[in-house]
Amino acid sequence: MTKIFDEMWGREDALRAPYSQFGQWFEGEDPARLRAKQREAEEVFRLTGITFNVYGQAAAEERLIPFDIVPRIISGAEWKKLTRGIEQRVRAINAFLHDIYHRQEIVRAGRLPVEMIKNNEAYLPEMVGVTPPGGVYTHIVGIDLVRTGDDEFYVLEDNARTPSGVSYMLENRETMYKMFPELFSQTKVQPVSQYPRSLLRSLSACAPSCAEGTPTVAVLTPGSYNSAYFEHAFLADQMGVELVEGSDLRVVDGRVAMRTTQGYKPIDVIYRRIDDDFIDPLTFNPESALGVPGIMDVYRAGNIAIANAPGTGIADDKAIYSYMPEIVEFYTGEKAILQNVPTWRCNDPESLKYVLDNLDELVVKEVHGSGGYGMLIGPTASKKELAEFRKKLEAKPGNYIAQPTLSLSTVPIMTKAGLAPRHVDLRPFVLVSPEGVNITPGGLTRVALKKGSLVVNSSQGGGTKDTWVLED
Amino acid sequence: MRLKIAHETRYSFSEPVRYGLQQMRKTPKSYRNQKVVSWETSVIGGKKELQYEDQHRNTVELISITPGETELLLRSEGEVELEETNGVIGPHESLTPLWLFDRQTPQTKPGPHVRELARSLHGREGLDQLHALMSAVAKAVKYTAGASASDWSAEKVMEAGKGVCSDQAHVFISAARLLGHPARYVSGYLMLDDRQSQEAMHGWAEAHVDALGWVGFDVSNDQSPDTRYVRVATGLDYAGAAPVTGTRTGGEEESLSVAIEVAQQMSQSQEQ
Amino acid sequence: MLGKTAGGLFWMYRYLERAENITRMIETGQRIALTRNQENDDEWASVLQTASVDLGYFEKYDELSKDTVIDWMLRDKDNASSVMSAVEAARNNARQVRGALTHETWEAMNGCWMRLKELLKRKVNERDLPQALGLIRQRTALVRGATHGTLLRNDIYDFARIGTFLERADNTGRILDVKYYVLLPSANAVGSQLDNVQWETILRSVSGESGIRMVYGHNPTPRDIAAFLILDGRMPRSLYFCAKKLQDNLGYLAHDYGETATSHDLAVQLGKRLKERSIDEIFDIGLHEFIQEILIALGELSRQIEVDYRFYE
């Protein structure tokens, strides 16, 4: 087996160019001071309230996502190449969503089997024929990338519903500025702090025609017990817009309006952080107490923009993911620049057989799962876990896809014993508006803190790092 | 034939309503064999917030109840001109793809009983199979007012062996989909031969056959719709075509009275 | 501003004020216990009563003891008006309205909560009590300082102030309500001295012991104390002072919003009621009845503010 690619040291223990200045600086630092800084950083996070609630744990429990002070560094040239691929992919996703909710040409052309859509709950019949204001479906996209070598990046998954984590991208950078100002005067790192402004601008550009003057934007949160509440509050605050809950909203004069101290005021664009199913009890789940009754009616009458549009989940469904190369080619006429991880769809009997035969070498994921739940990592699974998963696969093969275990790149983290390599992934954040695609240089680097672990999800013991894109 | 329809729904609340919405699909569709000559909706105690056409080309109106009101009166009336087509609606013309009508919903969800019913019709084909299905459902599910609950699935209805028109339609749709026919629910008005006044709208099913397109099947009357049937809304099931879906806060107890009149409108020449 | 946000600010500052008031009452109890060498803990009953947390206490405990009283008032989760409960509620409200607060204010509030949560994780023993109370004072003062130093003087600040002064007026009113009898002329007639425990409890509970000396000298009468706490416009915890502030801040809101709300009229009436009466007239009406009337008016005002500014759906 070849040696794992480390982004700081390469495969041959030679400091890679993007890390040269950081490496020099690090050499001259006292490890004890750095560890103290690490603790200081955590204190900053606590005080600022950058915490999350773990699902299934006591509601009052607020936890920190561990932050590692060693930045993940990407050269400007590497980034440029990535952004071309990301932009192509995001444009294709939007074109796909428009098509699949209108004439379904891709299905008619036989490039995507109708079975992938027909009984897929992420495909919302209520969105058929609806063209969102501005024509944008996924205003905010997070593309999860992994790296396996100098020039090898793969898309692990697309997040086209309500990707989270952008607040960490911003706060990690702020914390690094506070901790190590000297580093930033030596190394030219592309800023990320413009993100909230870009987001507001991007959302405002999608306002419906009934908006008068400067569009009114609001962030819709399920409430302060939601695991990502901090991020919702943070983004509203940074954009200077209201953070609303379903109980603040009503339909007034054919529009969605928020209850202010001076009466109801209409909203033009709503950045919702509530899942499709819960967004409107009149149209979707009638049990939902979080949503806004009638918002879908207002939406379909063209009187509000919802970001992201309902029904975008059909584009990031794990079964659809395996068709992304076809989707990119169908809508852009070009080969996909970013590679997909080879994927076996277990509803195909031959694939299922292969997967079952090679279970201990593969990663198996639930088609509709997220957050690292319901996932099997073959090489590290116990015999018992493998046997249990085998049963699940045989019972409902259509629920699963499988991928080879990639040897994810590592980036060092600061441990008591000094630097130690840990596996990472990368989620860049992409904004889409009628004005174009905007990719913030950087993103969220998640790191598996446990030695050898490949699971980077914060709910499963992952941490985060500041992600630097250099000005070359 | 021209039908004149008046539909009045009165909601009374024991306490003032603080906030309430009604999503209505009550406006008949215009299409090849059915022409809406006039149609008007009026609201007392509330307000029409907006209107749009949904993915099945249903006209949807959103009504808000005026905060503080204890009564909401919705009245729609108009005239519809119908042409006899023996239940044939025609080719599928909609952005909603035909294959989506294969999708079972919570209300049409089949189980062993529905599957068995579908199996009993193997060996037949196309329109013939669907007519046989209609009769089979009529036999298996006896029309019984008040026998079912609105959240019953097709399977549950089959188990009970009784239900109202929407239950019978759900069983038909569920089995038709199993047999490979795209199928949908239709809510509408039916002129009765013996009286004008009714207390509820009617509901039936439509299935798609290659040669003819959509064809209607009314299990409750074991026949395909004729010119006494006015199509109002269609959906994957009752919930998707429901005349009213509502939500409110305040108001407490609600009582409802519905008055529907469907009558043939004599043309001028006939009157003379 | 969202109605919910206005409500969140109102309650955040009400709870913050409450936390400070309760802390002050514990200090009062402690101080009185130290200066009077009594064998039993009876004076703590008076403290519990003054803080209006006596009913809850006796539901939970059969006996009165200094330790359990302090614990009840300081950190008991079952007591919605314990210092910890109030700080937690203030912080939860702050979390809801974060966007309306400056970073300094939020961090001061969050820092206060974090520090007190740690401090009050375990029972505080008597030896550490002064230090603990000092820390609570300091941490809540930081929130107030950040508020005064950084918040814009707009509707955000108005709702913060309205919450503060409603709670404060209510607090002073309740103290007078449960202790009115010691201020009655008849109580004085039997010739009790100024070092009446009850009087001291009252004055210390509203940080009025040095203020009253400046105004009335060393031997204030019960009538002086009542006048000081009800009518004195210089005393920042007097009913009149609070009413005036409520009137001011509701007035600013009316000005900014271009619409005078019913609650503003109520606040004006409240101010008038306090301004147009002398302390003798109040005693003529009946101190108890008068205080009751004011408390009811404060409750009405609070409810009307909720309605006027759409705190709830």
Side-chain angles (χ1 to χ4, degrees):
Chain A
M1 200 172 144
T2 53
K3 228 183 136 194
I4 289 163
F5 178 75
D6 186 87
E7 299 191 16
M8 185 162 174
W9 301 105
R11 287 191 214 275
E12 311 298 334
D13 276 354
L15 193 64
R16 288 179 66 248
Y19 282 82
S20 57
Q21 276 172 319
F22 175 79
Q24 257 174 26
W25 171 85
F26 187 82
E27 282 289 291
E29 286 294 308
D30 170 14
R33 182 183 97 99
L34 291 180
R35 280 198 298 275
K37 285 276 182 189
Q38 178 92 44
R39 287 191 294 276
E40 211 179 295
E42 296 207 341
E43 197 47 37
V44 172
F45 277 87
R46 269 201 200 283
L47 196 55
T48 320
I50 310 174
T51 53
F52 74 105
N53 308 325
V54 181
Y55 284 117
Q57 308 235 349
E61 182 88 6
E62 289 172 26
R63 288 222 207 152
L64 280 188
I65 296 184
F67 171 69
D68 179 73
I69 58 168
V70 179
R72 195 263 186 94
I73 309 176
I74 298 166
S75 77
E78 287 171 339
W79 180 253
K80 215 167 181 179
K81 228 166 117 185
L82 278 181
T83 55
R84 275 183 49 229
I86 293 171
E87 177 164 350
Q88 180 198 45
R89 198 165 172 108
V90 167
R91 286 188 187 281
I93 286 174
N94 271 283
F96 167 67
L97 285 165
H98 185 272
D99 180 35
I100 208 69
Y101 285 121
H102 289 82
R103 286 191 40 83
Q104 307 99 20
E105 298 289 358
I106 195 167
V107 176
R108 289 171 203 249
R111 300 287 286 273
L112 181 70
V114 69
E115 285 68 33
M116 302 305 330
I117 311 285
K118 195 197 271 187
N119 290 312
N120 195 324
E121 282 176 19
Y123 183 71
L124 300 182
E126 292 81 2
M127 282 299 291
V128 171
V130 177
T131 302
V136 177
Y137 283 84
T138 59
H139 309 72
I140 303 113
V141 192
I143 306 278
D144 287 356
L145 299 168
V146 293
R147 188 172 197 176
T148 54
D150 220 352
D151 203 22
E152 294 158 46
F153 287 88
Y154 289 95
V155 177
L156 203 56
E157 65 183 54
D158 305 288
N159 296 278
R161 302 171 204 218
T162 51
S164 63
V166 76
S167 57
Y168 291 94
M169 170 182 87
L170 297 166
E171 285 292 343
N172 287 355
R173 179 63 55 81
E174 285 306 312
T175 306
M176 287 297 278
Y177 281 145
K178 270 186 213 159
M179 298 287 119
F180 308 108
E182 72 276 16
L183 253 176
F184 291 91
S185 55
Q186 287 165 14
T187 312
K188 291 291 161 232
V189 181
Q190 297 191 34
V192 294
S193 57
Q194 70 282 11
Y195 179 84
R197 258 195 326 274
S198 308
L199 175 61
L200 179 61
R201 186 181 160 157
S202 194
L203 291 171
S204 301
C206 295
S209 54
C210 58
E212 286 163 15
T214 310
T216 302
V217 178
V219 177
L220 175 63
T221 173
S224 58
Y225 294 111
N226 184 267
S227 66
Y229 177 75
F230 158 73
E231 179 157 303
H232 310 160
F234 176 86
L235 287 173
D237 185 25
Q238 293 278 308
M239 286 193 285
V241 305
E242 294 294 355
L243 177 67
V244 297
E245 292 175 36
S247 58
D248 295 316
L249 305 178
R250 272 187 184 184
V251 175
V252 178
D253 296 335
R255 303 176 62 184
V256 173
M258 55 185 169
R259 195 180 70 252
T260 77
T261 50
Q262 295 171 276
Y264 280 89
K265 187 178 176 228
I267 295 173
D268 300 307
V269 183
I270 201 149
Y271 176 20
R272 50 92 181 213
R273 298 291 297 254
I274 293 183
D275 292 343
D276 285 351
D277 195 31
F278 293 96
I279 197 174
D280 184 351
L282 263 190
T283 294
F284 301 120
N285 184 351
E287 305 298 319
S288 171
L290 303 172
V292 187
I295 192 172
M296 278 304 288
D297 299 280
V298 175
Y299 185 61
R300 292 207 267 182
N303 294 345
I304 192 169
I306 300 178
N308 288 351
T312 52
I314 193 64
D316 70 11
D317 185 82
K318 288 193 180 70
I320 296 290
Y321 163 87
S322 58
Y323 289 94
M324 275 310 286
E326 283 95 331
I327 288 173
V328 170
E329 210 177 322
F330 187 77
Y331 296 105
T332 67
E334 300 162 5
K335 287 264 176 231
I337 298 168
L338 288 173
Q339 296 185 72
N340 249 26
V341 182
T343 302
W344 290 275
R345 294 183 277 267
C346 300
N347 60 350
D348 170 51
E350 265 179 52
S351 301
L352 178 65
K353 186 177 179 309
Y354 177 86
V355 172
L356 290 172
D357 289 348
N358 297 279
L359 203 55
D360 56 350
E361 286 172 17
L362 299 171
V363 176
V364 189
K365 296 174 179 175
E366 271 184 32
V367 171
H368 306 297
S370 68
Y373 293 97
M375 178 167 147
L376 174 87
I377 298 180
T380 59
S382 68
K383 279 216 171 102
K384 192 170 156 240
E385 285 169 324
L386 285 171
E388 279 171 7
F389 228 87
R390 186 176 296 277
K391 268 191 219 142
K392 285 197 208 170
L393 265 168
E394 282 165 343
K396 283 193 169 168
N399 271 3
Y400 298 93
I401 55 150
Q403 294 170 339
T405 316
L406 295 180
S407 65
L408 302 194
S409 62
T410 55
V411 174
I413 64 164
M414 191 71 200
T415 69
K416 277 184 196 135
L419 293 183
R422 292 291 186 270
H423 294 291
V424 293
D425 79 350
L426 174 65
R427 176 179 292 179
F429 292 95
V430 189
L431 299 174
V432 187
S433 83
E435 293 168 356
V437 176
N438 175 315
I439 307 170
T440 305
L444 175 67
T445 291
R446 297 185 296 178
V447 52
L449 296 173
K450 234 169 74 189
K451 193 176 170 187
S453 167
L454 292 168
V455 186
V456 296
N457 303 77
S458 54
S459 49
Q460 314 263 310
T464 68
K465 282 171 167 295
D466 189 15
T467 310
W468 292 5
V469 173
L470 303 182
E471 309 249 19
D472 292 337
Chain B
M1 177 145 84
R2 183 176 286 201
L3 296 183
K4 186 172 161 51
I5 299 157
H7 183 167
E8 197 175 276
T9 314
R10 186 188 299 268
Y11 299 86
S12 303
F13 308 101
S14 60
E15 294 291 325
V17 172
R18 290 204 299 278
Y19 175 60
L21 290 176
Q22 307 267 25
Q23 189 189 62
M24 300 201 314
R25 287 174 170 80
K26 276 188 173 169
T27 310
K29 301 183 184 219
S30 266
Y31 65 102
R32 220 158 41 123
N33 317 313
Q34 173 175 307
K35 208 176 129 224
V36 179
V37 181
S38 65
W39 197 263
E40 235 176 286
T41 305
S42 59
V43 184
I44 298 172
K47 178 185 160 195
K48 182 162 141 183
E49 294 286 344
L50 54 86
Q51 175 180 327
Y52 63 92
E53 215 173 73
D54 74 6
Q55 72 271 23
H56 300 293
R57 297 189 161 169
N58 301 317
T59 300
V60 185
E61 291 166 294
L62 189 70
I63 307 293
S64 65
I65 307 172
T66 308
E69 284 288 344
T70 53
E71 193 170 272
L72 176 70
L73 181 72
L74 303 169
R75 189 179 161 81
S76 29
E77 59 188 318
E79 290 181 20
V80 181
E81 184 81 46
L82 296 137
E83 237 178 85
E84 179 58 71
T85 60
N86 304 310
V88 176
I89 309 302
H92 182 66
E93 289 169 351
S94 165
L95 279 176
T96 298
L98 199 50
W99 44 258
L100 204 59
F101 295 92
D102 294 339
R103 189 190 266 199
Q104 301 284 15
T105 70
Q107 287 183 313
T108 70
K109 200 167 188 271
H113 292 86
V114 178
R115 282 179 212 287
E116 199 188 301
L117 175 76
R119 252 195 312 274
S120 72
L121 295 154
H122 285 168
R124 291 175 177 248
E125 267 178 18
L127 206 55
D128 172 49
Q129 186 181 46
L130 290 163
H131 276 292
L133 174 62
M134 175 164 66
S135 302
V137 177
K139 213 182 275 170
V141 182
K142 286 274 159 290
Y143 186 95
T144 318
S148 59
S150 59
D151 62 348
W152 276 19
S153 66
E155 179 64 15
K156 184 105 197 240
V157 173
M158 275 298 281
E159 269 175 40
K162 53 191 176 180
V164 294
C165 56
S166 56
D167 300 312
Q168 294 174 317
H170 281 148
V171 174
F172 178 92
I173 293 165
S174 180
R177 286 176 184 161
L178 288 176
L179 292 166
H181 302 284
R184 67 189 176 194
Y185 186 90
V186 190
S187 83
Y189 296 104
L190 167 61
M191 185 185 76
L192 299 175
D193 299 331
D194 56 344
R195 60 201 159 98
Q196 284 190 8
S197 296
Q198 306 177 27
E199 281 168 358
M201 286 177 72
H202 191 44
W204 60 96
E206 284 173 4
H208 190 271
V209 280
D210 287 339
L212 296 169
W214 290 103
V215 180
F217 297 90
D218 179 10
V219 179
S220 311
N221 295 297
D222 202 2
Q223 65 168 52
S224 278
D226 53 26
T227 53
R228 293 171 303 155
Y229 287 74
V230 176
R231 294 169 79 241
V232 172
T234 54
L236 293 182
D237 56 15
Y238 172 81
V244 178
T245 312
T247 174
R248 66 183 156 84
T249 53
E252 308 307 323
E253 303 278 304
E254 172 186 304
S255 58
L256 173 72
S257 71
V258 182
I260 298 174
E261 304 261 329
V262 185
Q264 185 170 359
Q265 178 78 345
M266 297 304 165
S267 72
Q268 306 251 318
S269 57
Q270 281 170 311
E271 277 170 5
Q272 279 167 3
Chain C
M1 185 197 293
L2 290 180
K4 180 186 66 188
T5 306
L9 286 162
F10 174 89
W11 283 107
M12 170 186 166
Y13 284 91
R14 263 200 99 146
Y15 279 117
L16 191 67
E17 175 74 22
R18 187 170 301 175
E20 292 181 322
N21 291 340
I22 298 284
T23 308
R24 195 174 293 112
M25 303 233 187
I26 300 172
E27 256 165 353
T28 302
Q30 173 79 353
R31 165 87 195 169
I32 288 169
L34 288 176
T35 54
R36 285 162 219 265
N37 299 310
Q38 284 187 20
E39 291 295 307
N40 56 38
D41 294 332
D42 282 353
E43 64 273 15
W44 285 99
S46 163
V47 172
L48 277 176
Q49 198 192 15
T50 313
S52 299
V53 294
D54 48 335
L55 289 178
Y57 178 89
F58 288 110
E59 261 172 42
K60 182 159 177 167
Y61 300 102
D62 292 331
E63 286 183 13
L64 191 75
S65 87
K66 178 175 61 190
D67 283 355
T68 49
V69 171
I70 291 174
D71 201 53
W72 173 251
M73 292 179 71
L74 207 51
R75 50 185 290 273
D76 202 313
K77 282 198 171 67
D78 295 338
N79 176 7
S81 292
S82 72
V83 173
M84 194 63 233
S85 300
V87 167
E88 179 124 7
R91 189 262 183 179
N92 282 345
N93 277 287
R95 197 163 171 253
Q96 298 272 4
V97 301
R98 238 189 105 150
L101 301 174
T102 55
H103 283 252
E104 278 178 52
T105 307
W106 158 251
E107 285 189 9
M109 185 70 245
N110 197 37
C112 170
W113 170 75
M114 279 163 56
R115 192 70 190 82
L116 296 198
K117 221 168 105 152
E118 197 185 291
L119 176 79
L120 301 178
K121 208 154 47 184
R122 267 168 244 98
K123 215 168 188 160
V124 178
N125 62 39
E126 200 184 351
R127 197 182 40 159
D128 300 329
L129 189 61
Q131 221 179 349
L133 294 173
L135 186 73
I136 296 170
R137 238 179 214 285
Q138 194 191 6
R139 282 295 179 163
T140 50
L142 272 179
V143 184
R144 249 184 228 305
T147 305
H148 291 297
T150 65
L151 235 50
L152 275 187
R153 291 330 193 236
N154 58 5
D155 47 358
I156 296 176
Y157 191 73
D158 290 327
F159 286 111
R161 298 300 274 171
I162 290 167
T164 302
F165 287 108
L166 254 175
E167 179 68 21
R168 188 176 293 176
D170 198 54
N171 182 61
T172 302
R174 276 187 293 109
I175 291 172
L176 287 167
D177 190 42
V178 296
K179 296 285 178 193
Y180 75 96
Y181 53 89
V182 302
L183 298 172
L184 294 178
S186 52
N188 201 27
V190 286
S192 37
Q193 301 294 308
L194 175 68
D195 68 354
N196 183 317
V197 178
Q198 306 284 5
W199 295 0
E200 192 178 339
T201 308
I202 296 173
L203 284 169
R204 283 193 180 273
S205 299
V206 293
S207 284
E209 71 277 14
S210 56
I212 201 163
R213 258 201 311 277
M214 291 178 205
V215 180
Y216 294 100
H218 282 277
N219 291 307
T221 63
R223 186 184 164 283
D224 297 338
I225 296 175
F228 187 61
L229 296 189
I230 298 170
L231 301 177
D232 202 312
R234 294 163 296 183
M235 162 59 180
R237 315 194 84 81
S238 78
L239 292 176
Y240 176 64
F241 185 93
C242 296
K244 183 80 180 42
K245 286 288 176 189
L246 285 168
Q247 194 181 319
D248 287 350
N249 284 290
L250 285 163
Y252 301 144
L253 278 178
H255 178 264
D256 287 356
Y257 289 172
E259 195 182 352
T260 306
T262 313
S263 48
H264 180 255
D265 299 341
L266 291 183
V268 172
Q269 280 169 29
L270 180 69
K272 265 195 192 152
R273 230 187 263 188
L274 289 160
K275 198 181 172 175
E276 288 171 355
R277 296 245 167 77
S278 70
I279 194 66
D280 294 327
E281 281 172 306
I282 291 173
F283 277 112
D284 285 348
I285 299 166
L287 180 60
H288 183 58
E289 287 74 10
F290 180 77
I291 298 295
Q292 284 280 328
E293 228 176 76
I294 298 294
L295 282 174
I296 289 167
L298 285 169
E300 272 169 15
L301 176 58
S302 183
R303 278 190 296 279
Q304 191 60 43
I305 291 168
E306 281 174 12
V307 173
D308 287 348
Y309 297 105
R310 302 167 175 88
F311 289 3
Y312 310 108
E313 202 179 353

